Structure formats: C-alpha cells, structure tokens
Amino acid sequence: METFQSLLARELSRALAAAGLLAAGDVVPATDARFGDYQTNAALILAKQRGENPRQLAQQIIDQLDVAEWSAPPTIAGAGFINFTILPKALAAKAAELLQDDRLGVPLAERRHKIVIDFGSPNVAKPMHVGHIRSTVLGDALARIATFLGHEVIRDNHIGDWGTQFGMVIYGWKNLLDRAALARDPIAELVRIYKAANALGAADPAVREACREELVRLQAGDAENLRIWNECVALSLKEFEAAYEILGIHYDIQRGESFYNDRLPAIVERLCASGLAERSEGAICVFFRDIPELADKPCLIQKRDGGFNYATTDIATVDYRVRDLGADTVWIVTGAPQQLHFRQIFEIARREGYTADCRHITHGSILGEDRKLMKTRSGENVALRDVLDEAVVRAKKIVEEKNPDLAEAEKNAIAQTIGIGAVKYADLAQYRMTDYIFSWERMLSFQGNTAPYLQNAYVRIRSIFRKAGERFSLPNELILTEPAELNLARRLAQFAETVPQVLHDFRPNILANYLFELANAFHSFYEACPVLKADEPARATRLALCELTARILQRGLDFLGIGVPEKM
Ligand code: ARG
C-alpha cells in the first residue's frame, strides 16, 4: 500500500519529467493545515537553479500533474509552493484499506540492512541508574521500528565488564567484603567496596599500588582474580536482567568489553603495520592531523604500560560487528559525552577501509527538579530499580482511585503498564538531545503528551467496543462527512508516513508527537460525533475509525516499548 505522500511524490516526478524539468521534487506534510495536507517546494528550487519565476514554474508543473484521484486541484501559494488537499473519498478509501492491512500501511524499507544496535550497555559493579533509561529505551524503540521496517536487527548489550575499575573491585573483595551485605544486596556491596578501595587508594599509595597489581593479575589470567571477576559479572548481570524484565527489553547478544580482550594485541599490530597508528611518548596513538577539530586529539590505543583501553576495544568491536556478524550498519546509543570517542573510532574504521554505515546516536541527560543531573538527596545517582518500583507504586495509587473494584492482580498488571509506560514515554517524547526534567506529576498525568493520556484513549475505544457487544461489524467502505471524521482519518493515514521518518534522525519523539496528535484528533472526533448512538451508515464508519485509532495507538506505543491496558 502506498502512502499519500509517496503517491504524490511519484506523480510529481512524472509531472516534472513531462514538463521537461529535470529536477527531483520532495513532497512533505503541509506546514500549515489551512493550505492543505501536503506541499512541495519543487518550483522554488527549480526557479533558483534556472533564474526563472517560481510561480510560473509551479503552474507549468501543475499543468502536468494528474492527481485528481486523491487530491483537490493543486494550488499555488506564497512564493511558489504547490499545495495538495486530499479528497474526502480518498481518505475514506485509505481508511478502509488500512483496516484490512496488518502493517497499518507502513511500507517495508526499500533497502534492507543488517543493523547491529548497541544500546543500554551498563557497567559491571556499578548500579544501573536513572541515566541508563535513555540509552536503553531509545535503543529499544529504534530496534523495534527497524525490525518492523524489515531490517535484520541484532541487539547487542556491550556491557562494561573489563577495565581499571576491577583492580579496585578485586582489592575491595579481598580486603573489605562484607559477605552478609553481599547476600542482601550484591550490587550495593560491590559499589561500596569499589568506592572504599578507591578512597583508600586516593589516600594511600600502597593501596593504589595493590589495586593496580590486582588488575595486572586479572589481565594476566590469575585464577583467583578471574573467579572473583566472574562472580562480580554474574551478580551484575542478574541485576541488569531484573531491570530488563521490568522494562521488557531483550538483547540478541551480549558481547561485553571482555569479549574483545584477545583481539586487542592484533588490532594494535595491524594499525601500526598499516601506518595508521604510531608510537608517541611511549604510547601508541592514531593521529588525525588532517582533520582540524581532531588535530590535537589523538586516539590512544595502547598505554605506555602496554595496557589497552576503551578505544582499542571499540575498534575491535567495529571489526567484529562488520566482519564476524556481517553488519552493514552499526548504531551505538550512548550519552553525548562519548561523541569525540566515536568520532575517532569511526574515522579509524573509515581509514581502515570499512564502508559500513556507523552512527553514534547520542542523547542528553535526565535532570532533577533543580535542573541539575538527577541525584538522590545524599548526592548519589538515582538507582534505576528505585525509579521503576516507584513508578509502579504511583501508578497503582492512580488505578486504585480510578477503578477500585478491579481485582488485585488486574490492578497490579495495569499499574505496571501505566507506570513503566509513563517513564519510557516521558523520555521518548523528548527530542533525544534535549535534557529533560524528571517529573512524576507530569509523566503520570492523564492530560497532555503522556503515556497515560494515550493509553486512556485506547482504553476508551476498547470500552466503546465492549458496550457495542456483538452488535457491529466493520464496514468495507467508509463514508466520511463530518470535519472531525475527516480530520481523524487524515491522521490515521499519516501513521505510515511517520514511522519510517523516525529512523532518519533517530527520533522516536516524532512518533510520540504523532500519537499525541492522533489521540487529540480522536478526542475531538469523539466529542463531535456520537458513535454507538449514531444511525447507519455513520455508525459503522465511526466504529471503523475507532477501531483503526485503537490499532494504531497500540502499535505505535508498542514501537516505543509501551503496552496498553484494556481497562484503567
Ligand atoms: N559501557 C559504556 C557506558 O556505560 C557504554 C558502552 C557503549 N558502547 C560501546 N561500544 N562503547 O558508558
């Protein structure tokens, strides 16, 4: 099924060719609904190229356009925009078509890619904190959408399970461990011994040296240190998995930093042999002398003491994903502070001849009400688990108020869907680069651009169908007459245009905003147009619009990793 946008774009190309105008023209949703549904600035671009009058060119294009099947006669506006207004009968036909389509009109991608997406990727022996929400839910949403568009997606959790922190963790384990505390709350105890060793080391060079030696022993394969390391990794993974369970996140593979260990010496050798890397002050670096903004920022790949680092591992990671997994596309989702790092890694990959499309998808931070990085009262990072627990507790209170008679198990299930959905949506509805303030009141509100608002729209529709009982069947043909019906149908048709757009710049907020506008259009429709009390054929048409709205809300929220309850 083709979207109106792609139908119009195809017809525009044909018309441009027929008018003898060699140009590509884009059709986009109209910026101002008063002028129509779609517009193109093809005439403006051509006018600039040819030094001709844009409105005249627009008329030349219109003379060749044959869009009468879907659009009112195109009009020229402003300096030379061509505007299209979709006809009611075309909207009705589209809605009927969507009702028969499992994909709700969303086309498969023209070119299918094999994409490795690295997201979440928390560090072992550190608690997952609220900041991890962003990378985790953003990556999950992108993976869901890419999969639906037909790409082959490999979700990879690149956990930080190697590195200098293990010197301190192992030192702490051997000297400071409280077994009872470890049994009670393993991660808290790991963090405690890590911090304690760190603090002792800062004050006492002997401890610092002891930590360093533990790390060297681990890297040399010492059996006891490896056993301790393994146990720390296992304890952390359990904690991560508990969070993923609540969040509904799944990974296909989990290749942590340690996975690449054996490959690092060969990477450095290879880069030295090809002349891409060089020795500098005893260490080995890759310089980017020809790139002004990187000229004074070499990438260190082997330290003076022979140790490898985060960058070396990530060079090996590109190798593995492209060569071993056969990916042609790599997406890495992390916070903005890693921008320079990935700029360097991808530049090295390019110099080594890799042609895979590597993207660093960055995001901003979550702030507390004080507009600073969100922290607990004592200044610690806020544990992810605490946030998720609180979300469900708060949602449960809301469910209790709204629907006290539901069975306890049902209340709990609904609270889970609302609470977790609210946290995810608050994140995904923001442009990913924007820092946002974490606010329970706002994200759990039933008003405004929130998950509960969208879930509630869905629930409302489900209750219409429960009331309708058996007494309806969905029509093969819709008859749209009321402005609110037309407006809703217009929105429904835009779902298929919106979903692929999310991947252009990795912006699930585009989908979130679309869903919000869809829910608004539904509410206006529902206020203006009685559904169950309407006479046929309006009743059947309106039920069909309700059904489509519910399906799109459900599917759209699912793309964001958010569920819908049947009641709330
Ligand atoms: N563990 C890192 C962190 O917490 C993120 C890893 C991202 N992926 C990568 N290939 N470096 O910041």
Side-chain angles (χ1 to χ4, degrees), residues 118 211 273 332 341 397 438 468 498 557:
D118 165 344
C211 290
I332 297 173
H341 169 76
K397 270 197 208 121
F438 190 95
T498 307
L557 284 169

Side-chain angles (χ1 to χ4, degrees), residues 118 120-123 132 158-160 257 310 314 317 321 332-334 338 341-342:
D118 165 344
S121 305
N123 297 321
H132 286 108
H158 185 83
I159 50 173
E257 291 178 17
Y310 191 55
D314 264 325
T317 306
R321 290 172 177 166
I332 297 173
V333 188
T334 77
Q338 297 193 32
H341 169 76
F342 283 109

